[in-house]
Amino acid sequence: MGMGIAKGYTVEELHNLGPGSVPSEFVTSTHLVYNSPAALAFNSPGAEGFGVKRAGLAIPGSIMLIVSPGCCGRNTSDITRIKGYEDRFFYLEISETDLVTARHLKMIPQAVEEIIEVCREKPSLVMICITCVDALLGTDMERVARKAEERVHIPVRPCYMYALTREGRRPPMVAVRQSLYSLLPEQKRKASSVNLLGFFAPVDPQSELFDILRSVGVKNIRQISTCIDIDEFYRMGEANFNLVLNPEARDAADDLRKRLKIPSIELTRFYGTDRIARQYRALFGALGIRPSGRASEERQTRVDDGVNSFETIWNSAPVRYEAEESFRRLKEEYQGLIFSVGEVVNGNPFELALSLIEYGFAVKEIFANPAPEYAYYIRQLAERSPKTMVYSNMEPTMIYYDLDGDGERTGHEKIDDMRYVSTSEAADEKTVAEGRRPARIHVTLGKDAAYYHPDAVHVTWASDEQPWGYVGVRKLAEAIEAAVKAAITVLKASIDGKKEAGAEKTAALEKTAAPETSDRRTDP
Amino acid sequence: MRGLRKYLTPFAPDQSGAESVLYELGGVVVILDAGGCAGNICGFDEPRWSETRSAVFSAGLRDMDAVMGRDRLLVKKITDCVTKIDAKFVAIIGTPVPAVIGTDLQAVKRMLEKQIDLPVVTVATDGMHLCDRGVTLAYQALLKEMDVRGFRDIGGAQERMPDKLSGAEQAAARMDCGAEKTAARMDCGAEKTVAGMDCGAEKAAARMDCGAEKTAEGIAGAATSGTCDCRRVGVFGVTPLDLPDSGSAGIIREALRSEGYEKVILYGSGAALEDYADAGRNTINIAASVDGIAAVKFLQKKFGTPCQIRFPGAENLLPGAEKGAERFLIVHGQVLGNSLRESILGNSLRKAVLRDEPEAQVTVASWFGMDDEIRQPQDAFLKEEDDFIELVAKIQPDVIIGDQVMRRMIPGYPGKFIHLPQFSVSGKREAGMQL
C-alpha cells in the first residue's frame, strides 16, 4: 500500500471476503488507533456523549469520585459544563507510591465522607470510578465501596472506566449498566410495569413504542433517565419485563433476570420500515399476542379497542405510513442526494445506509467497522450498492483521507445536484481520472462523516434523546429535509448576494467611470 | 486530604505535555495506552488537533497485551504504521498502563530501531505527573536523540553539525555557512563593534537569570552565531499547555521582534523538526516556562548559546496593577509569574505602586514545577487545594492574578481577582483573556 491513501473497501469486497475474514484495517486490536477528530466522539471511554463518567451519574442526585491518575479525569471539565453535571464530580488523584502500596484504597472511605460534606444536598448515591491501572492491579473495588458505604450510610457503587477492556467480554459501557442496575432491590412484580433498558437519555416520547406498550396494558414505562429521584429508580425493580433497546444493556438485563427474575426482550433500532414491522411482529409474538384484525381475538389478547388498538399499530399503522411518506417526499424533492454515513449516529451505520438506499438514495461511503454480525447488511448493501466504500475511522491511513470541499461547483450546480439525479457523473469520472475523489457528498449523517466532508449538509443525528421506530424514521427524513432546505436557502442567498454585489460593483464602476466621461465631455 | 480535589478538575498530565512538544514535528507519535489517554490528549488538551493533522496514534493496548507484555505486537503495529505513514521519526509516550506494568521503553526503542530506519524517541511519562514534566522530558528526549545522531541528521537539514567539537569550535564551524569570521561580522553590521550586541546579546547578558556566568564558549557562540543568524531567538516552554491562551504565542513573538530579533522560533508552538536540528544557530535561547529551562541549558552547554529565563511580553498580559494594592499573589507558571512581578515592581508602574504602597510585595505561586534558582523566599509551590486556600489566608493578598477557576476555593475572598487563564489548570479554553 502506498503512502497518502486512506484504505477502504467496497461493500462488495467485504461481502466477498465473508464475515469470517474482516480485513485487519477494521480490527482495531491489530493496528495503532488513529484518534481523528472524527473518531474522538466515541474512541475514548469518557470522551463525549454518554461515556462511563456521564452514564455513571444517570441516577438522580448521585455524585462521582474518580479515583485515578490525574490524566484519567482530565477531560471531565468538559462534562461539568453540561447542565446538571456542574458539581457532581470529585477526584482522588493517585501517585506511583499509591499504586505500589495500594494505600489509596484506604483513603477512599474518608474521601467519600469529605466530598459528601461539601455537597449542598446529601447525594443519593456515590459512584466510585476507577480506571485502567486498577484493572491491572485487580482492585476489589466492591469491597472498598462497601467500606465507604458503612461510613456514610448512603449507597456507594463502583464503576469501571477500563479502556483496556473495551473489546473484551465486559466492556466499560456494559459494566456501568450492570453496576447501576445492581442497585435495584427485589420488589413485588407488577404486570403493568415495564423498563426500557439501554440508553442513558430518554427514548423519544413520541415514539410509537410507548403506544404499543400502553396498548397491551402497560401503565408504567420506566427508564433510568426519566426517574425523578432514586426512589423512582428503585421502582424499576417491580417491572414485569425489561425491553433491552441497546445490546450494551444485555448483561445488565441478564443480571436482573437472574437476581430479580425479571425477563427481558431485546429490540434493535432500525430505520427500514419492513424491519421495524417484522420486529414488532416478533415482539407481539414474544408477549403472546397474535396479530389479527378480528376484534374478538384482539380482546383475547388484552388489547385496547381504542385509538391505540393493536390493529392500528400493526403494519398498516399511520405511523408507518407517515414514516415512509416522509422519505417519499424527500426523494421527490431531492432525488439526487448522496449520503456519507458515519458511526457517531443513533443507529447502526450499516442498517442506516441500507435503509437510505432502500428509500432510493445513494450512499457513497460508510465510516464504521463491519463486525461479523453485520453480514446481513453487508450482503444487502453489496447487492444494491456494491461500490459503497467502507472506512474505519480509527485506521492510521485515515490521516490521509482527503477532506473534500465542493470543488469548483457553483451554487446553482450544488442545488441542482441535490434536487436531481446528478448529471455531472462525467465530471466526476474526470475528477477520479485526475487522481482526486469526486467531491459530491451532499449530506453527512453523524459528526464523524461531517468531519470528512466539511462543505456538505450535516445532519448530526446523535441527540441524547433516542429516536425509535417509525417515528424515528419520520424524524430522520424531516431532519434531512430541514438541513437540505436550510443549506439551499443559504446557497440561494449567496447566489443572490453575489448578483447584488455584482450589480453594486457594476454601478460603482459606472459611477467611477461617469466623471471621467463628464470630464472628457467638458474637455475642450 | 492528599490528592483529593473537591473544587478543581485534574490538571493537564505529563503525557499531554510531551505530546504538545512533539505534535508539529512530523513524526508518528504513539501514545502507549488503551485509547482513553490518547482521546484525552487529542480531544481535550491539544488545541491544534481540530485544526492541523498530526500522526498521533493510540497503541490500542488491550488487557491481555498489558498482562502478557506483548511488546512485539506493539513493535509490529508501529512498524506496519510507518510503512503507510510518511514520518520523520517515531515517538513513544508513556501513560499509566506501561508505568504500572513496567514497560521497558528503551528496549522497545531498540527493538524498533532494528526494524525501521527512523529515529525513535521515548518519553517516560506516566499520567501521574503534570504537563510541565512531560514538556521537559520531550525536549530532553528530542535534543538527546539529536545529540547522539548529530543535530543535522534528524531534522533533514543539509549540513552536518560537527558534533565532536567544543562549543566555541562549533560556533566557529557554524560561521562557515557564511564566510570568514571577520567578513561575516562585517555582513552583520560592520558599524557595530560587537556583532553580538546587535542581536541582543548584551541585553541577554544583562538579563541572564540562568545562574551561570557566560562561559568563553558562550560568548563566542553568541558573537559568532550573531554573524550567522544574528537575530534568531529560540523560545522553549511555549507549548499551548504552557501559555495562558491562544494569543500568547503572538504576544511573545511580537515582544521579541520589538527587541530586535528577526527570527523568533517558538519550540512547541510552530517550530518544525528542522528548527530543532538548527537550534545551534540560535543567537540566544529563552525559557518562557520552567519546563523549558533544561532545554536551554542543554543548548548552552552544547553550543554555548546564552540563555535567559523570562516570559517575553509578560507586561502586555497585565494592563495595570491595582493602585493602592499592597500584596499581590500571582498563581501561574513560575517564569510568567516572575516576569509579571518584574512588570508590577520594575516598570513604570513601580513608582505608582511604591509611592502609594512602599511595602508592596508580590508572591508568585505555582501548581507546576518551580526552579529554586529563580524563586524568591515568599514564593510558594502548590500541590493540594488546601495549599492555595491556606496561602491566601496567610498572605491576604489585595490582588490575586490567576485562573478564575480558583475562585471556587476561596468564596469569601474580599480582594480583587484578575483572571489570567491557565488552560493546564482549568481545562477551559478562553476565547480571549478577560482582564
Side-chain angles (χ1 to χ4, degrees), chain A residues 248-417:
Chain A
E248 287 181 332
R250 200 179 288 156
D251 286 4
D254 205 37
D255 288 349
L256 291 175
R257 181 182 59 77
K258 287 177 192 156
R259 192 167 59 85
L260 304 182
K261 313 281 184 294
I262 303 176
S264 63
I265 300 167
E266 189 168 335
L267 300 181
T268 304
R269 174 161 40 200
F270 294 120
Y271 287 93
T273 50
D274 281 343
R275 286 183 285 280
I276 295 172
R278 278 200 295 275
Q279 177 161 262
Y280 282 150
R281 202 175 297 143
L283 172 65
F284 285 126
L287 295 176
I289 304 167
R290 286 181 295 111
S292 165
R294 286 179 298 170
S296 59
E297 282 192 317
E298 281 185 33
R299 274 193 293 277
Q300 279 173 11
T301 53
R302 296 176 283 115
V303 175
D304 293 345
D305 289 332
V307 180
N308 293 328
S309 74
F310 180 78
E311 184 61 27
T312 57
I313 290 159
W314 199 239
N315 289 352
S316 59
V319 278
R320 175 172 184 172
Y321 176 76
E322 280 173 18
E324 291 174 344
E325 191 55 24
S326 58
F327 262 106
R328 257 195 299 275
R329 271 200 313 273
L330 183 70
K331 175 71 182 163
E332 215 170 271
E333 187 72 13
Y334 308 106
Q335 52 186 297
L337 288 185
I338 298 173
F339 287 84
S340 171
V341 179
E343 61 189 311
V344 191
V345 288
N346 288 326
N348 176 324
F350 293 97
E351 196 277 333
L352 184 51
L354 176 60
S355 302
L356 289 168
I357 288 166
E358 287 168 345
Y359 293 125
F361 297 100
V363 175
K364 204 148 206 168
E365 58 193 8
I366 301 166
F367 298 98
N369 288 351
E373 58 267 32
Y374 303 155
Y376 169 79
Y377 304 126
I378 302 284
R379 178 161 60 81
Q380 293 291 319
L381 285 164
E383 282 171 16
R384 290 164 178 264
S385 176
K387 298 300 171 203
T388 295
M389 291 295 294
V390 182
Y391 296 95
S392 166
N393 269 315
M394 295 187 282
E395 206 273 324
T397 61
M398 288 303 281
I399 197 171
Y400 292 125
Y401 188 95
D402 181 17
L403 301 190
D404 62 33
D406 268 339
E408 291 168 2
R409 286 181 305 151
T410 64
H412 284 298
E413 283 168 341
K414 285 181 210 168
I415 295 170
D416 286 349
D417 242 17

Side-chain angles (χ1 to χ4, degrees), chain B residues 214-226:
Chain B
K214 274 187 167 182
T215 60
E217 287 177 354
I219 294 163
T224 53
S225 59

Side-chain angles (χ1 to χ4, degrees), chain A residues 2 9 23 30-31 41 54 62 122 168 187 202 213 232 237 265 334 457:
Chain A
Y9 290 81
T30 62
H31 55 73
R54 216 178 143 197
S62 58
K122 191 173 183 181
Q187 294 185 43
L213 291 171
E232 191 181 348
I265 300 167
Y334 308 106
V457 176

Side-chain angles (χ1 to χ4, degrees), chain A residues 421-460:
Chain A
V421 175
S422 176
T423 52
S424 57
E425 289 298 331
D428 267 0
E429 278 169 24
K430 187 169 171 270
T431 311
V432 173
E434 286 167 1
R436 293 182 292 129
R437 280 187 319 100
R440 284 183 54 253
I441 296 292
H442 301 131
V443 181
T444 64
L445 288 181
K447 210 169 159 185
D448 47 345
Y451 167 75
Y452 296 112
H453 302 284
D455 293 331
V457 176
H458 305 311
V459 180
T460 313

Side-chain angles (χ1 to χ4, degrees), chain A residues 95-110:
Chain A
S95 65
E96 298 141 303
T97 315
D98 293 333
L99 284 176
V100 172
T101 60
R103 65 181 179 185
H104 64 294
L105 301 179
K106 287 184 186 155
M107 293 159 64
I108 290 173
Q110 194 197 327

